[in-house]
Structures are given as structure tokens and as C-alpha cells.
Amino acid sequence: MAGTGIGARVERKEDFRFITGKGNYTDDINRPGQAYAYFLRSPHAHATIKKIDTKKAAAMPGVVAILTGDDIEKDKVGGLICGWMIHSKDGSPMKSGGHPALAQGKVRYVGDHVAVVIAESLAEAKDAAEAINVDYEKLAPVVDLATATKKGSPVVHDVSPDNQVYDWHLGDKAAVDAAFKKAKHVTKIDLVNNRLVPNPMEPRAAVGDYNAGEDAFTLYTTSQNPHVARLVLSAFIGIAPEHKLRVIAPDVGGGFGSKIFIYAEETVCVWAAKKVGRPVKWVSDRTEAFLADAHGRDHMTHAEMAIDENGKILGLHVKTRANLGAYLSTFASSVPTYLYVPLLSGQYNIPAIYGEVEAVYTNTAPVDAYRGAGRPEATFVIERLMEVAARELGMDPAAFRRKNFIKSFPHQTPVIMCYDTGDYDASLKKAMETHDVKGFARRKRESAKVGKLRGLGYSAYIEACGIAPSAAVGSLGAGVGLWESAEVRVNPVGTVEVLTGSHSHGQGHETTFAQLVAGRLGIPIENVSIVHGDTDKVQMGMGTYGSRSGAVGMSAIVKALDKIEAKAKKVASFVLEASEADIDFKDGQFSVKGTDKSVDFASVALQAYIAHKFTGEQLEPGLKEGAFYDPTNFTFPSGVHIAEVEIDPETGTTEIVKWTAVDDFGVIINPMIVEGQVHGGIAQGIGQALMEGAVYDKNGQLLTASYMDYQMPRAGDLPSFTVGHTTTPCPSNPLGIKGCGEAGAIAAPAAVINAITDALGHEGIAMPATPQAVWKATQASLAKAAE
Amino acid sequence: MYNFDFHRPSTLRQANGLMGKLEDAKLLAGGQTLLPTMKQRLASPGQVVDLGGIPELAGIEQKGRNLVIGAMTTHAEVAGSALVKAALPGLAALAGSIGDPHVRNRGTIGGSIANNDPAADYPGGLLALGATIVTNKRRLAASDFFTGLFSTALDEGEIITKVIVPTGAKFAYAKFRNPASRYAMVGVAVAKKGGKVAVAVTGAGSDGVFRWEAAEAALQKRFSAKALDGVATPSAKNLNGDIHASADYRSHLIGVMARRAVTTASGK
């Protein structure tokens, strides 16, 4: 599509500053008189702190202050919180252990915050940190997820003597038991969803600033949701009341969920700024990011699927153990519960589903939402089950999926979700045609000729995005509402600023949101600016995660634009001397029905502000409107990804040779940006499937604490993706948007593993399927074939 | 990084003098290991003597049947050298496979072998080729120079000046990269000169680079990948195991990489 409106491939407005080094990231912000913070972190996974001796360190050159958990306690700085209450099967609330911003009496993971040194330079702060003498009494750590709740295990938090956070369930157990009794066939699998380190390009950072004259704080930080950060720092941690705390999240270089959370470091920077009377800056190095950014995934799951004699699914029983690490991070409790089990129905008509989730503490970094958050875990379970079941039944995996697809909408699943619309057959069909699935057998023979094993794997995923109807999530335990806000300010010359509560940290909102506004008002896209990430400019907002900025954030803008148009029509009616009911607005022109009288948008804007054509009694001057949008349902993006791999059996190396994605994101604002989102998501999903995995040793030391040992996907590891779409517009929001930010990361892991197991003759393999793991599986597969 | 004093001599003589005089001094070649280690505060030399300003340590020459490579020659220079490409294309390819473009344009042959990282590429190549390492004091055969993990026959303060590599061999190097770091998890260098075959293995040995004699014997009879069928790969007992590769997997990969190197060296 030409132009710059909805559906156009508009080049990203923000990229010029990013690719020319003109971005303004938190580390680019320096305040007059600023000092530097360095955190002394625990070298032990689990230890009692008997004494912290800072005397020698405090006397070292450049040291401004050294603060510990005692100071936090004295100043009554509240602990970090988990904002979603989960109740166990027995009705008891989850067991939430205290989470002080600086350790009090005990450290619970390697990287836990023991003290902060604030000094004139970072080097001096580091030197002084080395001189702090901490007397630890080492305790045995809890590291292994499988045995964390065993009797006699060390205890991470006294509130939970068995290390269990909650034992939660969802669904109808009796109905599922009945389904399994009727089943002709039961497929069972055991899976691990590997633990991931988020690794955004920009590490976390914070600058705390205190203005004694106004008794007001400013926090610059790498946040995906600065308003939520302000709310938590104010209402729960108690740094300052909201009107005295401004949070600015300037340009942010990626988040993938890890920058949703309110961490110890920014809390300490803003608190310490007042305490030492200096702005305090902290920038994470990459090692700190590995140790202390909230990790993702880390599930162990046993799942069973009941199937009847016709290959129809009767029921699903999933039992998962989720590692939440040493402390409950901001949204940790919701990820393996309400963001996970309600997605286990996948794209399939499954009459009975029962999910049980036991969340546990371990002496490892906190685990929270990471791109997809619960939905990749659910997709991996259901799509591995579909693959294994199809093969056990001797059915083609695509045909087995098609047989069980949901075909009519709306569809109420047994686990909360009501899917509003979709066409799963259409995306499967288009994906199979695009991929040339028919030619696979020939390609497999050609690979065999050169000693390679070729395999093809499907992943038919669904996700719940556009989170979320506030009342609904409130009833499920959320501590906040998940609406979004927007304010549209039209300037007297007709240019427009849009203030949004969404936050862009790579998504391209400055472009896509401007496309919406320019198209709607009929003005050049250059005349639209998007303002976000500053609590002093944008009144309130809920931020960006869960693919919500299009479906929820842009819907709020639409509501505000509706009001702008209504007001502008009133102004135009005075300018054109016509009745308001006779004013049409199209392509930036206000005109009087049935006449050739018209006036453009910019002129109406000017008239709104000079207010010469109407009196104060007739109309308020100005053209500025705000709106809040609370969604009425989740959105349900879905699609089919097909991965084709070639394995070198000699080395175990897996090459992704072909990839087709056909996604249904509803209405697409900018296909180029959507393709970029899909590419990035698939890359991360391939990373999870083949490469990434956080590994702790038995002492709780993170073995994969740098890129020397933690493998990230590189461009050379990836094929050229073929990306296509089918479209069923979302009926619950005004633009018909479903969301696309997480789809690739949700779909990809199952597609890759299904392809590998196809190539290997159906041997199971765990993620990450590294060369070593694939080689071992290949040996096992060859040995079996030889029998 | 801790504070240190920085010295940049312009002759080998000056460098030698500094190393004799200074306490707690480290030689800086390309800095691809030393600088990251210092930045992480894992190394804290009080004195750093940079060899980058000494012209006599740079450059590549053909002298008779040998290539003479100055110790401060970067990997990119070896990889791109017309002399190396003509005389020993496998050595140019080895240099071109080290690290990434940044590393190849800073890292040097002298720095690499002085560090003798068990996962480095040059030690395997130079051992198989029977190179001679020349220092400001003496000449050492590669087989005498590499003495174990991160250890060499170099004395305190001894400076490598050049590496003499005999030409005329059929030579190739095949490596399997560590998926995360991209260092050699297993690297096998094969050189055939006349009737003699040398096979050197890097990345895998628990005591650093080593020769695989059983493969050499088999390849001396018949220089073909097939000759290695049935030859037991080096015992896992003497190999490294870590989260990326068990010793057994490394042992297996030595066989695979050796076959691939032989195939490349024989031009098939």
C-alpha cells in the first residue's frame, strides 16, 4: 500500500537516531554532581550474613557512601513486591518471602545485592567494594528444581519450609479423569522448558536524582513501564508519593520482559540520591545482567493427552513444576499460572483440561516474564504432544492437527479463554503450500545423499495478547488494571503530539502510532510526534509487554481521536457556518454536506485556538483530548510455523534450512515492522530450541554467566524466513489488531524440536538441542535402527 | 581494570631492557586475552610493555623453504598474505578462522602462542607443521615450546620475535567451534610432507595441544580420510569435558575433524 496510513510499509522514524548514535539511553544521561553506584553482590548461592565490615572501604579514595540492608531497614524502605496473588488448591495465599533491596541477614542467590558503594567514579566504587569484608556463614543451597521441595532440603525463605510458593490448579479434574477413562489412546510426555537469560542489547541502568528544593525525585531508568515503576516505588516501596516522583524511561534498547520488573538497583539509586545528596548512577555490566536480570521459563512438565478411536482429543492433564528463583519478581507468580494453563488448549477443541502448577523457590536468580511469558511454555507442551501423539497414532502430524482444530467461533475453552475469531485451517493450508511440504520427501532424499538427516516440524500456536480486561485479571489476582491511556494534543498549526502510556523499546511505536494518527486526521506523518516514557508528560499508563501496545495502546489513541474529530467538527461548523450534523470529515478536509464548502484540518486547529469564530458560551477553545481504553477480551493471534532442519550426524550440528511462518495478527499497521517482529521472535525461539540455556552448578554458581558459555543466536545461525499472513480481524478492538510481538518466540521452539525428532526418527530431545545433545540422540537413534 | 604503568618501546632491545628492569611486568601483543582479563580484574600487572611499536617484530617473509612470520603479525595479515596463501593455504585459512574480524585485526601470532590457550588455533597448526619459535634468546621447536595448558617453555620476560614455518607440506586445519565462544572445541591440524604425517589436536586435550600418533601412523600408510576408519580416537581420559562437550564427544569429534582435515589437505 502506498502512503503512510494503516497497512503501509513506512520506514521507522526512530531509526535515524538509533543508527547514527543519536539515541538517548539511560547511560547517556548524566546529572550535575553525579556519583556512581557499584553493587557488592553475593558470591554464594545461600549464606547467612554475620557481619558486614565497611570501615576500611569507607576510608578509600572517592567513596561517598556505603549502604547496606541495615540502612534500608532504618529508612523503612519497603521490600520489592510481587504484584499478582495466586492461591493454592487449598485456598491458602502464595508464600511470599521478603525481598529487601539490599540483603538483610541472608543472601539467596549468586548476584544477590549485599551492599552498594557510591563513589566519585565507578573504578573507585569497585576498588572500595573489594575492601568490604563480609562474614558469611555458607548454607547448603537449593539448586535442583526437581528436588527443591524434598524433605530435608535447605530452606530459602522461612515462610515456606518446603520451598513451595504455591500449588495451584485450573480446570475440571473430574471431567479430565472421565475423559482419560474413555480414551482409546493416551500420549504421555515429559518436558523441560529450559531456563533463559533475557539479554537485551542495552543492559539495565538507573540514575536517581533528588531535588532538595522541591523535595522531589527523578528516576531515569530502563523500564518498559515507567508508570508502574512509579506506582510500585511510591505506593509499596515508599520512596516518595507519586506526585513527588518522576520516572523517565528514555530510549530503551530492548527488554523482552526483563525490563518490566522493579529491581533492587533502581530502588537503591533513587533512595540513595536523597541519602547522599548527589545524583546516583548505576549501569549494569553484562555479567551483572546474566546474574541478576530476571531469567525466563524453567519448567519441568509431565503431560498426558487422551484421544478417542477417531483421533479426536478428549482431554489434557498437565502437571508442571516452575522455578521462580530466590525471590518473587514483580509478575513472577502469574507467568506459570494464568499466562500458561489458559493457553494449553492451543488451536484445538479439547473438551476437558486440567493443569496443576507447583511453583518453588531455589537459590537462583528470580524468574519472571520473558518474551511470550507462559505462552511459549504452553505452546511447547501442546505442540510436542500433538507431534508425539500423531506419530504414535500413525497419523500425519498436519492431518492430526487439522482434525482437532477449533472450527467455529467464539469458542469457549475449558480454561478461561474465549477465542473470538480465527481460521486455523487457513493458516495451516497456506503454510504448507508456501513451504512446499509436498517437496519435502524429495529434499529429504537429497540430504541423505550427502549424509545429512532432514526433518520437518510444525508448530500451530495460539497466544492470548492485548492484555487485558482489568476486571477479569483483577478477579484472577492481578494487583493492577491493564487498560491503556492516550492523549492527543493538536497544536494551533495542526501538528499533533500523541502521549501514550505504551512504551517503545524497539517496537517502533513512533512510526506505527503516527501512521494511525496521520491516516485518521489526513495530515503528513512528519506532523505527528509520539511522546512516551515520562510520568510528568504522560499522566498514567500501563506500559508495553504481552503484545499489548497495538491492541490496547492504539485503541486508546483511537478513542482519543474520536473525541478530537468530534470537537474539530464543532469548530468546523462555526468556521463553515453550517450545522454540526452537516459536517463531514474525510482525508483531512472538513466539508459541508451537499456543498463545495470545506476547510482543512490545520485551519480548524488554528481556529480552535484563536477562538474567533465562536464564543466561550458556545464552545471551549483548544483541541486536546484524552482517553482510557480497557479491553473487553484478550486477543488471540495464532498461526502455523514450519521448520525444516538438516542434521550432520557426524557432529550433531543442526542447520535450519527452511522456515515458513503464516501468522494471523488481525489487522496489520506496518507489515515491515511486523515482519521484523516475527523475524526477531523466531530468532529467539530458535535460540531457546538450539542454543540458549542457563546452567547452575550444584553450588548455585551460574556456569553460563557470559557469552563464552551462553550461546545467543547469530545471524549466521538463521535462514531467510518466509513470512506470510492470513487475516481474521479481531472483533473486540476498534482497529482489529491482535498483536505480533511474541509470536515468533512462542511458535519457534516446538517447530524446531519437532523437526529434529522427525529427522532422527522420533527420538525425544531436550532443549537446547546443542550439537552434543543431537549427536547423542543421533547415536541412540542409529543404535535403535540397527537393532 | 586496576591502574598500571604503560610502556611502549620502539626496539626489541628497549623491550628486553624494560623486561629485565621492571617488576610485575606483562608483555602486551594484540591484547585479545590480556586486556579482557585485566578489565575483569582477573589480572593486575603493575607494568604493561606494549610490543606494538617495534617494527622488527612485524611482517611476513619467504626465506628459502620457510615462511618467517614476525611475532606481532596479526591474524588478518597472515590470512590475507599472498605469500602464505601461495605456500601454505591451510595456514592462511587457519588464521582467517580465528575469532572474528575485530580479533583478527588485533590479535597476533606471537601473542596467541605465548598465551597457549588450549582452545587456540595456532598451537595445533604450528605443531603439525613443525614450526620453530624464535625468541630474543633462542630457537625452540614447537614440540618443545608448548608445554601444557596456558604454559610454554618461555622464561620470564622472554620475547617471541618470529615464527619459522617450513613450507612444502600438504596442510589443513579443521575445527569444531564451541557453539557459544566460537573457540575451537576440537581443532585438528594435519600436515603431510614427503612420507611424514603429523596430526596435532587443539581444544580437546586436558594438557593442551597434542599429537595423535595412531592417526599419523595410519595416514603415513595411506593419506586418505578412509585410512582413519577403525583407528581408535584419543582416549577420553586425557580430554576435557565441560557443559558444551563431554570428553567422549570431543574424542569422537577429533576423528571427524581429522578426516575432514585430511580430505581438505589432499585436495579432494
Side-chain angles (χ1 to χ4, degrees):
Chain A
M1 184 192 148
T4 62
I6 289 174
R9 292 178 172 269
V10 179
E11 285 187 10
R12 290 173 23 125
K13 295 174 76 171
E14 44 272 82
D15 281 353
F16 176 78
R17 72 172 191 276
F18 293 155
I19 63 177
T20 57
K22 305 282 191 247
N24 184 37
Y25 295 89
T26 301
D27 191 24
D28 294 319
I29 289 163
N30 295 294
R31 303 295 301 156
Q34 154 184 302
Y36 295 83
Y38 180 74
F39 286 85
L40 178 67
R41 292 172 187 276
S42 172
H44 306 299
H46 199 192
T48 306
I49 300 172
K50 294 172 76 180
K51 190 166 178 255
I52 303 176
D53 181 357
T54 60
K55 203 187 265 170
K56 187 175 154 214
M60 287 179 63
V63 173
V64 175
I66 299 176
L67 304 172
T68 67
D70 286 349
D71 300 293
I72 290 268
E73 198 171 10
K74 266 183 243 154
D75 284 9
K76 298 192 169 55
V77 177
L80 307 179
I81 61 153
C82 179
W84 197 305
M85 173 51 74
I86 297 294
H87 287 88
S88 285
K89 289 172 182 171
D90 63 8
S92 62
M94 68 185 185
K95 299 186 185 78
S96 200
H99 190 180
L102 294 171
Q104 291 172 350
K106 200 174 170 188
V107 285
R108 293 181 173 85
Y109 68 100
V110 173
D112 204 351
H113 315 75
V114 176
V116 63
V117 181
I118 297 163
E120 299 294 343
S121 72
L122 180 59
E124 287 167 323
K126 283 187 181 178
D127 288 345
E130 284 178 8
I132 296 175
N133 191 1
V134 185
D135 186 4
Y136 293 106
E137 186 176 316
K138 280 205 271 177
L139 302 169
V142 186
V143 181
D144 179 38
L145 174 59
T147 56
T149 55
K150 270 221 172 109
K151 254 208 175 95
S153 276
V155 176
V156 182
H157 289 279
D158 291 343
V159 293
S160 174
D162 58 358
N163 295 319
Q164 190 189 76
V165 183
Y166 51 73
D167 181 17
W168 171 91
H169 65 160
L170 183 71
D172 185 340
K173 183 170 190 300
V176 168
D177 289 346
F180 276 83
K181 276 202 185 106
K182 275 196 298 189
K184 177 80 193 305
H185 179 84
V186 174
T187 292
K188 302 177 183 182
I189 53 170
D190 286 286
L191 299 171
V192 170
N193 204 290
N194 42 328
R195 183 182 183 112
L196 303 177
V197 180
N199 282 307
M201 199 182 289
E202 179 206 20
R204 290 190 293 120
V207 182
D209 197 354
Y210 175 69
N211 181 332
E214 294 176 6
D215 188 29
F217 294 84
T218 303
L219 170 65
Y220 304 85
T221 189
T222 49
S223 174
Q224 297 178 216
N225 38 208
H227 293 88
V228 177
R230 182 177 67 161
L231 176 66
V232 171
L233 286 166
S234 167
F236 296 93
I237 300 175
I239 300 284
E242 278 181 285
H243 67 297
K244 293 287 189 187
L245 174 58
R246 176 182 185 183
V247 178
I248 299 174
D251 284 331
V252 175
F256 311 118
S258 70
K259 292 172 181 168
I260 297 172
F261 322 124
I262 291 82
Y263 289 91
E265 291 89 352
E266 58 259 31
T267 303
V268 167
C269 283
V270 67
W271 160 67
K274 180 176 179 182
K275 201 156 179 72
V276 303
R278 304 266 298 268
V280 175
K281 179 174 195 170
W282 169 77
V283 179
S284 170
D285 66 26
R286 193 54 74 178
T287 304
E288 291 180 284
F290 270 99
L291 292 176
D293 283 6
H295 293 179
R297 320 277 194 255
D298 208 351
H299 285 194
M300 295 176 65
T301 295
H302 176 76
E304 300 191 3
M305 180 181 269
I307 303 160
D308 76 6
E309 59 281 6
N310 300 315
K312 287 278 223 185
I313 304 166
L314 297 171
L316 180 64
H317 188 164
V318 175
K319 209 172 157 109
T320 291
R321 178 180 276 248
N323 192 350
L324 297 185
Y327 299 98
L328 296 185
S329 173
T330 315
F331 289 107
S333 54
S334 66
V335 177
T337 49
Y338 289 108
L339 295 178
Y340 170 63
V341 174
L343 277 303
L344 283 171
S345 195
Q347 299 186 356
Y348 312 107
N349 192 352
I350 306 179
I353 299 175
Y354 181 58
E356 299 173 88
V357 180
E358 186 185 22
V360 305
Y361 287 116
T362 59
N363 292 112
T364 62
V367 180
D368 205 326
Y370 169 70
R371 200 170 190 173
R375 291 151 288 172
E377 294 91 316
T379 299
F380 193 64
V381 171
I382 184 75
E383 286 306 290
R384 285 292 295 135
L385 267 173
M386 293 305 285
E387 197 73 15
V388 173
R391 298 197 187 280
E392 287 176 358
L393 296 168
M395 284 182 76
D396 172 66
F400 179 58
R401 283 180 171 84
R402 196 178 295 115
K403 190 178 195 93
N404 285 286
F405 275 157
I406 293 161
K407 294 190 176 73
S408 70
F409 296 89
H411 173 88
Q412 178 63 54
T413 73
V415 275
I416 299 177
M417 294 300 175
C418 183
Y419 299 171
D420 47 13
T421 185
D423 187 345
Y424 308 143
D425 264 338
S427 34
L428 179 62
K429 185 162 180 276
K430 186 169 175 182
M432 291 177 74
E433 284 168 9
T434 308
H435 192 86
D436 185 23
V437 170
K438 281 194 183 131
F440 172 72
R442 176 180 45 79
R443 297 194 292 274
K444 191 175 171 74
R445 285 195 300 275
E446 280 163 10
S447 296
K449 278 186 207 157
V450 291
K452 301 279 178 72
L453 307 170
R454 191 177 271 252
L456 181 145
Y458 296 90
S459 179
Y461 73 96
I462 191 160
E463 48 173 330
C465 294
I467 53 176
S470 300
V473 294
S475 74
L476 303 177
V480 288
L482 290 168
W483 43 263
E484 197 46 87
S485 77
E487 185 177 316
V488 176
R489 296 179 181 173
V490 180
N491 296 316
V493 292
T495 58
V496 176
E497 283 138 31
V498 178
L499 286 69
T500 171
S502 297
H503 185 277
S504 187
H505 33 278
Q507 291 85 349
H509 296 171
E510 287 169 49
T511 307
T512 49
F513 289 14
Q515 283 182 254
L516 164 66
V517 175
R520 174 74 183 266
L521 299 180
I523 58 176
I525 194 164
E526 297 76 26
N527 288 5
V528 184
S529 298
I530 307 299
V531 178
H532 66 89
D534 183 341
T535 61
D536 262 15
K537 293 181 179 168
V538 180
Q539 182 246 334
M540 186 60 193
M542 294 311 297
T544 289
Y545 37 83
S547 306
R548 68 191 303 274
S549 299
V552 188
M554 290 181 86
S555 294
I557 297 173
V558 169
K559 280 189 71 177
L561 287 169
D562 290 344
K563 295 182 189 175
I564 288 285
E565 186 178 321
K567 172 80 181 284
K569 275 183 173 170
K570 284 193 169 69
V571 177
S573 74
F574 289 100
V575 176
L576 296 168
E577 296 172 333
S579 141
E580 191 189 328
D582 290 336
I583 304 290
D584 279 336
F585 181 57
K586 207 182 156 214
D587 300 332
Q589 294 289 323
F590 295 88
S591 56
V592 182
K593 280 191 182 92
T595 74
D596 60 356
K597 283 166 69 179
S598 74
V599 59
D600 68 3
F601 180 78
S603 305
V604 170
L606 183 65
Q607 290 297 337
Y609 285 95
I610 61 175
H612 292 170
K613 302 278 186 190
F614 49 86
T615 67
E617 284 114 28
Q618 288 169 313
L619 192 63
E620 239 180 69
L623 195 51
K624 178 187 94 167
E625 299 288 349
F628 286 75
Y629 173 78
D630 198 353
T632 53
N633 192 0
F634 292 85
T635 66
F636 299 96
S638 64
V640 171
H641 287 217
I642 304 177
E644 199 164 314
V645 301
E646 209 176 48
I647 292 169
D648 175 354
E650 283 193 327
T651 61
T653 307
T654 301
E655 190 189 347
I656 312 258
V657 290
K658 197 167 157 72
W659 194 285
T660 303
V662 173
D663 300 293
D664 179 355
F665 297 136
V667 172
I668 287 171
I669 305 297
N670 183 326
M672 182 195 72
I673 286 179
V674 167
E675 284 160 16
Q677 284 274 27
V678 173
H679 290 181
I682 297 171
Q684 276 177 306
I686 290 173
Q688 168 161 30
L690 295 181
M691 304 161 200
E692 299 183 47
V695 180
Y696 283 91
D697 72 9
K698 63 182 184 350
N699 299 316
Q701 295 292 335
L702 184 61
L703 297 178
T704 51
S706 81
Y707 297 129
M708 291 295 284
D709 290 299
Y710 189 93
Q711 186 192 357
M712 292 294 285
R714 296 162 163 87
D717 297 322
L718 308 168
S720 251
F721 305 118
T722 304
V723 176
H725 303 284
T726 57
T727 305
T728 58
C730 174
S732 70
N733 63 57
L735 293 167
I737 294 177
K738 295 186 178 180
C740 68
E742 297 154 298
I746 292 170
V752 174
I753 297 299
N754 287 340
I756 292 175
T757 56
D758 181 49
L760 298 185
H762 321 148
E763 283 294 330
I765 187 154
M767 297 192 292
T770 60
Q772 170 168 252
V774 172
W775 176 71
K776 278 187 184 157
T778 309
Q779 297 303 105
S781 184
L782 291 174
K784 211 165 150 191
E787 273 171 17
Chain B
M1 199 178 267
Y2 298 100
N3 287 338
F4 57 88
D5 292 330
F6 183 74
H7 308 269
R8 191 174 164 90
S10 53
T11 65
L12 189 55
R13 210 184 131 98
Q14 284 173 6
N16 197 25
L18 283 167
M19 291 310 285
K21 188 175 75 186
L22 298 172
E23 279 195 17
D24 187 24
K26 266 277 191 196
L27 289 166
L28 174 67
Q32 296 307 289
T33 300
L34 180 62
L35 294 182
T37 317
M38 287 169 67
K39 282 185 188 171
Q40 289 177 67
R41 300 187 158 211
L42 297 171
S44 53
Q47 313 283 334
V48 170
V49 178
D50 179 10
L51 299 174
I54 305 174
E56 58 202 284
L57 294 179
I60 302 169
E61 289 176 274
Q62 174 100 41
K63 281 199 174 165
R65 289 181 180 172
N66 294 322
L67 281 171
V68 180
I69 304 172
M72 286 297 288
T73 309
T74 65
H75 311 323
E77 285 163 351
V78 173
S81 157
L83 280 178
V84 180
K85 282 199 238 178
L88 278 173
L91 184 64
L94 178 151
S97 78
I98 299 172
D100 56 29
H102 302 73
V103 170
R104 291 196 288 277
N105 280 283
R106 295 298 308 170
T108 64
I109 189 168
S112 169
I113 61 176
N115 189 45
N116 194 18
D117 189 314
D121 299 297
Y122 269 130
L126 297 184
L127 186 60
L129 285 165
T132 299
I133 287 89
V134 183
T135 76
N136 56 342
K137 292 184 186 161
R138 55 189 166 149
R139 294 165 158 256
L140 287 154
S143 53
D144 296 326
F145 179 85
F146 299 112
T147 56
L149 290 187
F150 295 104
S151 64
T152 65
L154 288 172
D155 290 333
E156 199 66 32
E158 189 172 0
I159 301 170
I160 300 170
T161 56
K162 56 194 161 198
V163 178
I164 300 172
V165 187
T167 60
K170 286 181 173 178
F171 172 78
Y173 175 68
K175 72 171 152 182
F176 192 85
R177 294 171 188 270
N178 175 309
S181 71
R182 317 303 269 186
Y183 274 86
M185 203 156 79
V186 166
V188 180
V190 174
K192 177 181 190 293
K193 194 168 182 183
K196 284 277 180 198
V197 175
V199 178
V201 179
T202 192
S206 44
D207 199 25
V209 63
F210 67 90
R211 296 264 296 267
W212 181 16
E213 278 111 9
E216 293 174 349
L219 291 166
Q220 256 152 218
K221 285 188 197 135
R222 181 184 169 205
F223 194 69
S224 153
K226 278 214 166 8
L228 294 174
D229 290 351
V231 178
T233 53
S235 165
K237 267 193 305 198
N238 303 320
L239 302 180
N240 289 327
D242 54 34
I243 57 171
H244 305 287
S246 65
D248 282 336
Y249 179 48
R250 276 193 166 87
S251 172
H252 165 78
L253 285 176
I254 291 170
V256 177
M257 292 301 120
R259 280 193 283 275
R260 290 182 184 181
V262 169
T263 303
T264 307
S266 54
K268 280 174 194 163

